[in-house]
């Protein structure tokens, strides 16, 4: 379409003046320039009452041309009505809709077509003096000069009696510099647009030098004249602009300074070649003053300049052409890479079946190279004919289909190296159509399916092996594909489902159970195959006899040849008896726990009952010892001291029993506060000093640097230290030594108490922390106690989030060590071991367990 601004057309040229009999010739760059000049030319003709024909590419451009002319003082509708103006599109409306993008050239065959007949009819209708018409000049294998002469000859031959003023339009890119000179020398009046104005290229009858310089300056190409040694003698303004020099700076420069990568030796060779041929055309990068380069096509010719031999060098900027060529080469590289990197065989061939391009895989599969005809066995597949059915005289002919063809599995013969094998292949053929929808050859893709066939055999063997495995399993078993569809099952599974195998295979679980559970387990099985995971879970199933059984389902994935071949194997195991036994064990355990709780509650109550009279015994014995009601003799005092000491010992035992019972009932809580560790150690040591002095035992303390305070339950922390140190003194020999050490271990506090007593066997390490346990009866008789001290230590340490242990050897003493967090927020959290087999219990069983627990709890209370 015409790109026209709705502005009034103004031209610097007066087209009302006398126009040469052979018409005007204009050179334009863009379609807009052609439109502007044509509009001014037609407008001037209408103002002179001349007939005018405006040829436009298509009907839409005709409407725009009419609008352009109407934007003036002329009555365009009246001009068209009175046959003074005819706007003729060279393409039909239907053709315009098909051809995209718009054809901008206005060129036609004078002897053919509806537009041509319309022009002839318009010319021969009515009486008129002059006719104006715009005509496009194209080369079509001839020079512009030749095409222009031929077009004038056609006008003179078809309309000899009429006076026509044609406006011949030539696109600048179609003109070479030589043709510009040829047209001017032939007497053509050339119009060109320079600096925004249309001007004639005039050659005045002046001296040859002025005429020559006029030609130089009128050219749109860069022109240099240099002598045979390469010194620049003349340069036009285009050359100066391109190279970035003024004319005075250009003159005298050597030509090698204006070209890249050219040396005097090479320049001399070019001069010698120029002397032999008279002209020399080549491409070279021209070097600008700022260091950038411009690719140019250089046309060198020998001339005589000021009486001496010289060279005229005409350069045309080919940057756009180079860019187009590079884009084309890049496209060809990508196209070639596509061929070479294609995993199968690919080939392109012409209408005769000759291969124009193919990759190495195609050569290996088919055995044909480029410039060879495609093999007969492949051609037969494309033609869907067998060689035996084809006449001998037709074998040399090529009949390629003009529609796409695809074969999922065909065989081609491999006769390379004396072999005669049939290779399974997938063949895809696509015909290539030319711009005019004519058949132009085709492309064939050949994919080697040998490996696919091998994998298919392996896949079938694996499926068969899997089916045999499923049949051999004595319990119900089944197999599903990655879509959750049953592909195998054994006789036990048929019995369980009360269906035959043919009714099961090919269906999913959703076909056999309620939609709610069917969809749930169907999605589960698909996810298992997708992520290749294992699932073991328990559920309830109703067996054919109507009974409900607890079963365990084991589901695991077998990886196939490919990801799509992975399958799910499921095995169903009846665990009803085991679940019943577990239920009985659970009830027994719950009953034992209830009995133990009742025992503990009894002990707590009894402890409270015993403490009341015991406190009275201790209180009155202490009162007697104070001799408030009178003095006691030695015997009375000794008996009273024994009563007080035995009562206090019994009270300590009862308190320990009460503490251990509270721990079992979970009634003991920790009350955190800031605890001075060295102070507590000193306090406990002071409390136990009478016992250590009595046995002549020395106590050494070693507290690590930086250990001051911790956050803990002060009472429990003190009792832990008291019980451990008391045991160390109790079981140490007279005159022995006990060592207390405390230090920080990251965010934990570690305290150890080492004695030089009898020691402990390694097998008894765990026993010493159990309640009511003594390692040796003889020790128990000698030292007393009921074995609750270390049990309380273990429980109190664990309440703080720590742990306690012992290191000992018989006869070498013992070391008791405990470690608790420095702050409660840093307590070590219990870590649950990860179970890779997720067990899901039936909700009904869980409800039943909870009901039993509640019943037992009610009975206990």
């Amino acid at each position: 379409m015409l790109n026209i601004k709705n502005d009034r057309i103004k031209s610097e040229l007066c087209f009302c003046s006398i126009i040469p009999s052979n018409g005007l010739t204009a050179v334009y760059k863009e379609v807009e320039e052609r439109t502007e000049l044509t509009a001014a030319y037609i407008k001037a003709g209408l103002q002179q009452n001349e007939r005018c024909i405006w040829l436009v590419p298509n009907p839409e451009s005709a409407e725009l041309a009419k609008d352009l002319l109407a934007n003036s003082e002329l009555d365009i509708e009246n001009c068209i009505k009175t046959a003074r103006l005819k706007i003729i599109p060279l393409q039909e409306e239907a053709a315009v809709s098909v051809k995209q993008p718009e054809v901008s050239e206005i060129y036609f065959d004078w002897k053919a077509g509806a537009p041509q007949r319309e022009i002839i009819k318009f010319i021969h209708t009515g009486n008129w003096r002059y006719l104006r018409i715009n005509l496009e000049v194209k080369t079509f294998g001839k020079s512009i000069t030749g095409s222009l002469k031929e077009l004038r000859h056609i006008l003179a031959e078809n309309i000899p009696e009429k006076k026509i003023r044609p406006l011949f339009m030539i696109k600048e890119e179609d003109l070479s510099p030589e043709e510009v000179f040829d047209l001017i020398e032939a007497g053509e009046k050339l119009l060109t647009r320079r600096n925004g104005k249309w001007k004639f290229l005039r050659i005045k009858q002046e001296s040859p030098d002025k005429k020559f310089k006029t030609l130089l300056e009128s050219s749109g190409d860069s022109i240099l004249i240099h002598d045979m040694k390469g010194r620049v003698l003349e340069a036009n303004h285009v050359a100066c602009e391109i190279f970035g020099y003024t004319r005075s700076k250009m003159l005298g420069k050597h030509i090698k300074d204006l070209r890249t990568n050219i040396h005097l030796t090479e320049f001399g060779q070019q001069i010698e070649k120029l002397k032999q041929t008279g002209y020399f055309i080549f491409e070279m990068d021209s070097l600008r003053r700022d260091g950038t380069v411009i690719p140019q096509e250089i046309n060198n010719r020998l001339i005589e300049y000021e009486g001496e031999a010289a060279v005229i060098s005409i350069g045309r900027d080919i940057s756009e052409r180079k860019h187009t060529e590079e884009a084309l080469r890049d496209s060809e590289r990508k196209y070639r890479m596509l061929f070479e990197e294609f995993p199968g065989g690919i080939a392109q061939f012409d209408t005769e079946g000759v291969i124009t391009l193919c990759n190495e895989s195609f050569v290996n599969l088919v055995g044909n190279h480029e410039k060879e005809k495609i093999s007969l066995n492949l051609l037969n597949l494309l033609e869907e004919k067998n060689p035996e059915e084809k006449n001998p005289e037709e074998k040399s002919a090529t009949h390629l289909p003009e529609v796409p063809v695809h074969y999922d599995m065909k065989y081609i013969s491999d006769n390379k190296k004396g072999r005669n094998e049939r290779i399974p292949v997938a063949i895809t053929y696509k015909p290539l159509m030319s711009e005019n929808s004519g058949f132009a050859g085709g492309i064939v893709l050949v994919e080697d399916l040998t490996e696919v066939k091998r994998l298919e055999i392996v896949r079938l063997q694996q499926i068969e092996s899997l089916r045999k495995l499923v049949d051999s399993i004595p319990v119900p078993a089944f197999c599903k594909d990655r879509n959750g569809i049953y592909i195998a099952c054994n006789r036990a599974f048929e019995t369980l489902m009360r269906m035959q195998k043919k009714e099961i295979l090919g269906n999913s679980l959703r076909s056999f159970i309620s939609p709610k559970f069917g969809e749930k387990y169907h999605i589960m099985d698909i996810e298992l195959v997708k992520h290749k995971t294992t699932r073991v879970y328990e559920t309830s199933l109703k067996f054919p006899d109507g009974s409900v059984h607890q079963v365990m389902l084991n589901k695991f994935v077998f990886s196939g040849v490919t990801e799509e071949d992975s399958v799910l194997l499921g095995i169903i195991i009846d665990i009803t008896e085991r679940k019943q036994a577990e239920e009985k064990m659970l009830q027994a355990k719950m009953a034992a726990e209830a009995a133990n709780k009742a025992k503990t509650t009894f002990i707590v109550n009894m402890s409270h009952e015993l403490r009341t009279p015991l406190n009275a015994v201790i209180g009155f014995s202490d009162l007697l010892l104070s001799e408030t009601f009178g003095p006691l003799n030695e015997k009375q005092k000794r008996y009273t001291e024994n009563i007080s000491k035995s009562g206090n010992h019994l009270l300590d035992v009862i308190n320990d029993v009460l503490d251990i019972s509270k721990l079992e009932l979970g009634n003991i809580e920790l009350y955190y506060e800031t605890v001075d560790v060295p102070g507590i150690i000193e306090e406990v040591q002071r409390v136990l000093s009478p016992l250590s002095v009595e046995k002549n035992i020395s106590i050494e303390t070693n507290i690590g640097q930086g250990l001051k305070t911790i956050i803990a339950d002060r009472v429990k922390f003190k009792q832990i230290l008291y019980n451990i140190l008391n045991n160390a003194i109790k079981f140490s020999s007279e005159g022995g030594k006990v060592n207390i050490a405390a230090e920080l271990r990251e965010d934990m506090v570690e305290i150890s108490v080492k004695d030089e007593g009898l020691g402990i066997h390694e097998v008894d390490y765990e026993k010493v922390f159990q309640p009511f346990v003594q390692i040796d009866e003889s020790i128990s008789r000698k030292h007393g106690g009921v074995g609750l001290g270390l049990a309380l230590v273990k429980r109190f340490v664990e309440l703080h989030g720590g742990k306690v242990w012992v290191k000992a050897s018989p006869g070498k003493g013992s070391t008791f060590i405990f470690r608790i967090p420095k702050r409660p927020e840093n307590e070590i959290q219990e870590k649950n071991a990860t179970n890779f087999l997720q067990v899901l219990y039936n909700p009904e069983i869980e409800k039943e367990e909870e009901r039993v627990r509640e019943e037992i709890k009610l009975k206990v209370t």
Side-chain angles (χ1 to χ4, degrees):
M1 295 182 293
L2 299 177
N3 187 6
I4 300 172
K5 295 181 180 179
N6 291 325
D7 297 331
R8 294 198 175 194
I9 297 298
K10 294 183 180 180
S11 176
E12 301 80 8
L13 295 171
C14 180
F15 289 109
C16 299
S17 60
I18 297 175
I19 298 176
S21 59
N22 59 353
L24 291 173
T25 305
V27 180
Y28 68 93
K29 287 185 178 180
E30 304 295 338
V31 175
E32 289 80 3
E33 293 180 359
R34 182 186 69 190
T35 304
E36 174 192 355
L37 184 63
T38 306
Y41 177 75
I42 296 298
K43 178 182 175 183
L46 293 175
Q47 290 173 344
Q48 291 294 103
N49 293 320
E50 297 178 6
R51 281 201 169 193
C52 300
I53 296 178
W54 188 347
L55 302 180
V56 294
N58 49 56
E60 188 172 352
S61 296
E63 291 299 321
L64 292 173
K66 186 190 299 184
D67 294 341
L68 185 60
L69 290 175
N71 193 14
S72 65
E73 297 81 5
L74 296 170
D75 187 354
I76 299 304
E77 294 297 335
N78 184 59
C79 292
I80 295 174
K81 186 176 181 181
T82 56
R84 287 178 53 209
L85 172 64
K86 189 73 172 180
I87 301 175
I88 300 176
L90 296 180
Q91 292 181 3
E92 299 289 340
E93 186 69 43
V96 174
S97 63
V98 173
K99 289 184 175 289
Q100 295 291 338
E102 164 236 349
V103 179
S104 62
E105 292 79 5
I106 308 172
Y107 181 82
F108 65 97
D109 184 354
W110 190 270
K111 300 179 181 179
Q116 290 76 354
R117 291 192 296 271
E118 194 171 351
I119 293 171
I120 297 296
K121 180 180 178 182
F122 184 79
I123 289 174
H124 290 285
T125 301
N127 296 319
W128 49 269
R129 185 178 180 186
Y130 295 104
L131 172 71
R132 298 194 180 199
I133 185 171
N134 62 305
L135 298 170
E136 186 88 1
V137 182
K138 301 293 286 184
T139 56
F140 289 99
K142 303 186 178 112
S143 66
I144 288 292
T145 307
S147 296
L148 193 58
K149 287 180 180 178
E150 182 179 352
L151 198 52
R152 282 206 172 93
H153 177 72
I154 292 172
L155 287 174
E157 187 180 57
N158 284 275
I159 322 168
E161 72 284 0
K162 301 292 184 180
K163 293 181 180 181
I164 297 179
R165 293 176 169 175
L167 174 61
F168 298 107
M169 310 294 289
I170 305 172
K171 198 164 188 178
E172 186 176 297
E173 66 182 26
D174 295 335
L175 271 175
S176 66
E178 296 84 350
E179 288 177 319
V180 174
F181 294 141
D182 292 342
L183 288 172
I184 294 176
E185 290 177 355
E188 294 289 346
K189 294 190 70 174
L190 290 182
L191 274 171
T192 60
R193 187 177 178 84
R194 293 291 181 265
N195 300 322
K197 297 181 179 181
W198 288 97
K199 298 179 180 179
F200 281 109
L201 285 178
R202 300 181 185 276
I203 302 178
K204 298 180 181 180
Q205 297 299 322
E206 297 176 328
S207 65
D209 290 343
K210 289 185 177 181
K211 177 181 178 181
F212 188 72
K213 289 185 177 181
T214 301
L215 291 174
L216 286 178
E217 295 302 326
S218 65
S219 174
D221 297 319
S222 68
I223 300 178
L224 296 176
I225 298 176
H226 61 82
D227 59 20
M228 303 302 284
K229 294 182 179 180
R231 295 295 173 184
V232 176
L233 304 175
E234 188 60 73
N236 69 348
H237 73 284
V238 178
C240 294
E241 291 175 1
I242 287 178
F243 289 101
Y245 296 98
T246 63
R247 184 173 178 276
S248 61
K249 294 289 185 181
M250 284 284 291
L251 300 182
K253 275 192 170 294
H254 197 283
I255 201 70
K256 69 179 180 60
D257 297 330
L258 304 174
R259 304 278 189 256
T260 61
N261 301 323
I262 184 171
H263 303 284
L264 290 176
T265 303
E266 187 177 354
F267 174 74
Q269 293 173 353
Q270 292 180 1
I271 293 296
E272 289 301 319
K273 186 173 182 179
L274 200 57
K275 289 178 180 179
Q276 295 173 7
T277 61
Y279 68 93
F280 183 34
I281 301 176
F282 59 96
E283 292 181 4
M284 181 169 282
D285 289 337
S286 296
L287 183 63
R288 304 183 68 182
R289 184 181 181 182
D290 60 5
T292 59
V293 296
I294 296 179
Q296 284 189 318
E297 181 183 77
I298 308 299
N299 189 333
N300 283 353
R301 289 176 180 269
L302 280 178
I303 63 170
E304 183 179 338
Y305 184 77
E306 295 182 353
E308 298 291 338
V311 178
I312 182 170
S313 181
I314 304 173
R316 173 164 288 185
D317 188 350
I318 56 172
S319 301
E320 187 174 347
R321 190 181 81 189
K322 283 289 186 181
H323 179 73
T324 303
E325 290 174 353
E326 180 61 30
L328 180 60
R329 284 193 294 270
D330 184 59
S331 177
E332 290 176 349
R333 282 194 298 269
K334 291 179 180 177
Y335 190 61
R336 172 65 72 171
M337 184 177 65
L338 172 65
F339 264 69
E340 295 302 331
E341 297 298 327
F342 187 74
I346 180 171
Q348 179 179 334
F349 48 87
D350 58 19
T351 56
E352 300 298 324
V354 176
I355 300 170
T356 57
L357 185 64
C358 67
N359 64 355
E360 190 66 26
S361 298
F362 184 84
V363 176
N364 295 334
L365 283 171
V366 181
N368 292 91
H369 298 75
E370 292 182 20
K371 299 182 181 179
E372 296 180 353
K373 276 206 170 187
I374 56 176
S375 59
L376 184 62
N377 65 84
L378 182 60
L379 183 61
N380 288 333
L381 291 176
L382 297 180
E383 296 176 358
E384 296 185 304
K385 293 182 179 180
N386 293 321
E388 295 79 7
E389 299 175 357
K390 198 169 185 179
N391 296 328
E393 58 272 12
E394 293 181 355
K395 287 187 178 181
S396 60
T398 302
H399 302 283
L400 296 171
E402 297 187 12
V403 294
V405 176
H406 178 76
Y407 298 100
D408 285 329
M409 185 70 71
K410 289 291 181 179
Y411 291 88
I412 59 175
S413 300
D414 182 8
N415 297 318
K416 300 189 293 294
K417 299 181 181 179
R419 296 182 300 177
N420 188 11
E421 300 178 3
R422 298 184 67 194
I423 302 176
V425 294
I427 301 174
T428 302
Y429 164 79
K430 182 175 178 59
L432 294 177
M433 311 305 288
S434 62
E435 292 183 0
N436 58 1
S437 300
F439 180 64
I443 293 180
V444 169
L445 307 180
V446 183
E447 182 183 359
D448 188 351
L449 299 181
T450 303
E451 183 66 13
V452 176
K453 290 289 290 182
R454 187 189 69 79
L455 293 178
E456 183 65 27
I457 294 173
V458 173
R459 185 182 298 112
L460 293 175
Q461 291 174 347
Q462 287 185 347
I463 293 175
E464 185 61 27
S465 299
L466 193 60
R467 285 174 177 166
K468 290 180 180 179
L469 173 64
V470 171
D471 288 337
S472 66
I473 298 174
V475 296
F478 60 86
C479 191
K480 294 182 179 182
D481 63 13
R482 63 195 305 268
N483 296 316
I485 304 301
Y486 288 102
I487 58 174
C489 66
N490 61 1
R491 183 63 60 86
F493 189 77
E494 291 182 71
T495 304
L496 177 66
M497 298 293 290
R498 289 186 286 183
M499 300 174 70
Q500 294 184 358
K501 185 179 294 187
K502 62 181 180 180
E503 299 175 293
I504 299 173
L505 302 186
N507 295 307
S508 69
L509 185 63
R510 294 175 297 186
S511 303
F512 310 129
I513 63 176
S514 64
K516 178 181 178 181
F517 294 100
E519 186 66 24
K520 173 185 174 182
Y521 290 109
H522 177 73
I523 294 175
M524 176 203 296
D525 293 345
I526 292 177
E527 289 298 315
L528 289 176
V529 179
K530 181 179 178 180
H531 300 291
K532 293 186 177 180
T533 53
T534 300
R535 192 75 176 269
V536 179
Y537 62 95
E538 298 174 4
T539 187
S540 300
L541 283 181
K542 188 175 182 180
F543 275 38
D545 60 0
S547 61
V548 177
H549 290 238
Q550 293 295 316
V551 297
M552 176 183 289
L553 274 85
N554 295 266
K555 294 182 178 180
F556 45 93
V557 178
F558 276 98
S559 297
V561 179
T562 64
E563 291 292 330
E564 297 182 353
D565 297 325
S566 297
V567 296
L568 180 73
L569 178 62
I571 300 174
I572 303 175
I573 302 174
D574 190 348
I575 58 171
T576 304
E577 294 182 0
R578 191 191 80 183
K579 294 300 290 185
Q580 291 173 350
E582 288 178 355
E583 181 65 19
K584 291 179 180 178
M585 289 180 63
L586 177 62
Q587 292 178 1
K589 179 176 178 292
M590 294 172 67
E593 288 176 351
N596 184 60
K597 186 175 181 181
K599 175 210 68 173
T600 304
T601 304
F602 170 76
I603 291 173
V604 171
N605 294 332
M606 286 301 298
S607 297
H608 282 289
E609 293 297 326
L610 289 172
R611 287 175 68 178
T612 302
L614 191 57
N615 284 330
V617 171
I618 295 171
F620 285 118
S621 63
D622 290 342
L623 184 62
L624 289 174
L625 287 173
S626 65
E627 298 180 334
T628 302
F629 300 102
L632 300 175
N633 59 35
E634 290 298 325
K635 190 174 184 180
Q636 291 172 334
K637 186 180 291 186
R638 187 171 64 251
Y639 289 161
T640 305
E641 285 178 349
N642 287 337
I643 293 171
S644 177
K645 190 179 294 184
S646 299
N648 280 302
H649 177 69
L650 183 58
L651 182 61
D652 289 340
V653 172
I654 292 173
N655 285 336
D656 286 346
V657 171
L658 186 60
D659 285 341
I660 203 74
S661 300
K662 287 181 178 180
L663 284 169
E664 289 182 356
L665 291 174
N667 293 335
I668 290 186
E669 296 181 357
L670 297 182
Y671 299 95
Y672 286 101
E673 59 180 300
T674 302
V675 177
D676 181 10
V677 175
I680 291 293
I681 294 175
E682 183 181 354
E683 183 181 344
V684 172
Q685 186 178 348
R686 186 169 57 250
V687 171
L688 292 172
S689 60
L691 182 60
S692 62
V693 170
E694 182 182 348
K695 298 184 69 174
N696 194 24
I697 294 174
S698 63
I699 300 176
E700 296 181 357
T701 304
N702 184 13
I703 300 177
Q705 186 177 3
L707 178 57
K708 298 295 183 182
T709 61
I710 63 172
I711 305 298
D713 187 311
R714 177 184 177 85
V715 175
K716 303 297 184 297
F717 183 70
K718 182 178 178 180
Q719 190 169 352
I720 292 169
L721 282 172
Y722 179 88
N723 288 356
I724 294 177
L725 186 58
N726 183 43
N727 267 15
I729 296 172
K730 184 190 298 184
F731 294 106
S732 292
S733 303
E734 289 193 12
K737 183 172 63 175
V738 174
N739 183 273
I740 303 173
E743 60 181 331
L744 283 173
R745 297 237 182 222
E746 296 181 354
D747 57 349
M748 306 288 283
V749 174
E750 183 177 290
I751 299 177
S752 62
V753 179
K754 182 179 180 182
D755 63 54
E756 296 177 350
L758 298 176
I760 305 171
H761 290 281
E762 186 175 352
V763 294
D764 296 325
Y765 283 177
E766 294 297 327
K767 290 182 181 180
V768 298
F769 295 107
Q770 295 177 7
F772 309 108
V773 173
Q774 288 284 359
I775 300 303
D776 191 358
E777 290 183 359
S778 62
I779 296 176
S780 177
R781 287 193 298 271
K782 181 179 179 181
H783 297 284
V786 293
L788 289 177
L790 291 179
L792 286 172
V793 167
K794 184 174 187 297
R795 300 292 181 89
F796 289 159
V797 169
E798 290 175 350
L799 276 176
H800 279 83
K803 65 177 182 177
V804 61
W805 67 96
V806 62
K807 294 180 180 179
S809 298
K812 295 182 180 181
S814 304
T815 302
F816 284 85
I817 308 161
F818 71 93
R819 185 182 293 174
I820 62 174
K822 186 179 179 183
R823 304 185 70 84
E825 57 264 28
N826 294 327
E827 291 180 12
I828 300 174
Q829 306 238 345
E830 181 181 358
K831 296 182 180 179
N832 294 323
T834 303
N835 188 357
F836 291 97
L837 300 179
Q838 181 180 1
V839 180
L840 302 178
Y841 292 96
N842 192 300
E844 297 298 327
I845 294 179
E846 293 181 356
K847 292 180 180 178
E848 184 63 22
E849 292 175 355
E850 185 64 26
R851 185 184 63 78
V852 171
R853 292 191 188 96
E854 292 296 328
E855 288 180 358
I856 294 174
K857 190 181 298 183
L858 290 173
K859 290 178 181 178
V860 171
T861 56

